[in-house]
Every structure is written in structure tokens, then in C-alpha cells.
């Protein structure tokens, strides 16, 4: 089966009534966890972006608490897992400000937990990629917000 384009789907959705759209959304949410999470964000959390950011930061805190630091290998695996979850949350929001806030929080946790970035090239690359992504997202923000995040970005860059 060939998937329809987004434009074709959009046209078809405009022809459906509200009851049918509700059933389609419920059916879509039933099959994939990601679809359910995205619908949860859109329905319950999209109107309160600050609350959403705070909730995701709390989840990051919990993830970092459970991070195994006994071995560099387990640290790398744990950081990648946290980053995978973080990227999914950023994708749900789609806002640059949210991306910047969450990526800065991730990097701050790395610094606060004193994860030895210099012991592994992979850890160094992972951290520097986050700094790079923060820079790209900050560049897309309005100038007043860019100025607000400038100090945080410089502090994160100084760690490397």
C-alpha cells in the first residue's frame, strides 16, 4: 500500500465531519505509543508550553538520577537513551524556544553530574553536537531571546 501525501490527507480530512475525525484520531492513537504521546501533547499540553518544558525537565531529572556512572559504556548508553526521549519531546513541540531550553537542561545535567567528557571521544562528540544544535536553534529565535540565552551557551561551550 502506498501512503498518501500530506496534502491529499489534509484535503480528505476537510471533507470528514467532527465525529469521524474523533474516531480516526482514537484509532490512530491505539496503534502506536508515539501517536498517543503526540496527541496527548497536542490536546493537553500545547496550550501551556512553559508547563510542558517543566514537565520534560522533571523527566530528564529522573532519567539522570537513574543514570549508571560505574562504567563509561553504561554512561554512553544512558545518555543516548535520554537524548532519544528528549529529541522526541522536542519534535512534538516544534518550537525553537522549547528546543533550546531542553537541550540546555540536558547539557547542564551532564555538567552537574560531572560526566567525564574527556575520557571518551563519543561523549565529547555527543556533548558538542548538542552545543551545535543549541546554536542553530538560538539563531532562529528573535534577537531579544538570543541575548537571553547567550550567557548559557557560552557557559556550556567553556566546558569543552
Amino acid at each position: 500500500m502506498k501512503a498518501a501525501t500530506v496534502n491529499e490527507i489534509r484535503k480528505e480530512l476537510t471533507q470528514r465531519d467532527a465525529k469521524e475525525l474523533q474516531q480516526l484520531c482514537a484509532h490512530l492513537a491505539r496503534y502506536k505509543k508515539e501517536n498517543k504521546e503526540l496527541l496527548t501533547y497536542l490536546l493537553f499540553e500545547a496550550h501551556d508550553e512553559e508547563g510542558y518544558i517543566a514537565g520534560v525537565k522533571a523527566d530528564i531529572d529522573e532519567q539522570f538520577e537513574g543514570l549508571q556512572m560505574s562504567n563509561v559504556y553504561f554512561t554512553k548508553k544512558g545518555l543516548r537513551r535520554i537524548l532519544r526521549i528528549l529529541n522526541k519531546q522536542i519534535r512534538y513541540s516544534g518550537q525553537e524556544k522549547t528546543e533550546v531550553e531542553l537541550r540546555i537542561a540536558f547539557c547542564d545535567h551532564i555538567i552537574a553530574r560531572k560526566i567525564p567528557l574527556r575520557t571518551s571521544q563519543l561523549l565529547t562528540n555527543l556533548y558538542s553536537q548538542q552545543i551545535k544544535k543549541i546554536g542553530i536553534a538560538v539563531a532562529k529565535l528573535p534577537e531579544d531571546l538570543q541575548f537571553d540565552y547567550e550567557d548559557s551557551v557560552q557557559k556550556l561551550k567553556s566546558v569543552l
Side-chain angles (χ1 to χ4, degrees), residues 3-16 21 24:
T5 65
V6 174
N7 198 22
E8 292 170 341
I9 293 172
R10 188 176 293 129
K11 286 179 184 177
E12 184 65 28
L13 288 174
T14 58
Q15 297 174 4
R16 304 288 175 112
L21 288 176
L24 287 172

Side-chain angles (χ1 to χ4, degrees), residues 16-28:
R16 304 288 175 112
D17 66 344
K19 183 86 170 158
E20 278 185 283
L21 288 176
Q22 184 180 14
Q23 290 174 343
L24 287 172
C25 285
H27 188 74
L28 184 65

Side-chain angles (χ1 to χ4, degrees), residues 59-106:
D59 289 343
I60 293 172
D61 290 342
E62 289 176 22
Q63 295 289 328
F64 268 95
E65 288 300 318
L67 187 66
Q68 253 187 342
M69 301 263 302
S70 61
N71 188 335
V72 175
Y73 172 76
F74 292 124
T75 306
K76 287 188 269 189
K77 279 184 73 91
L79 286 176
R80 280 194 232 121
R81 181 176 35 82
I82 294 169
L83 197 55
R84 187 172 52 248
I85 294 168
L86 184 73
N87 284 332
K88 187 170 33 170
Q89 302 295 334
I90 290 169
R91 194 172 57 239
Y92 292 159
S93 172
Q95 295 183 16
E96 282 80 19
K97 184 177 186 269
T98 303
E99 179 178 0
V100 171
E101 291 269 338
L102 295 178
R103 290 195 192 281
I104 287 175
F106 177 79

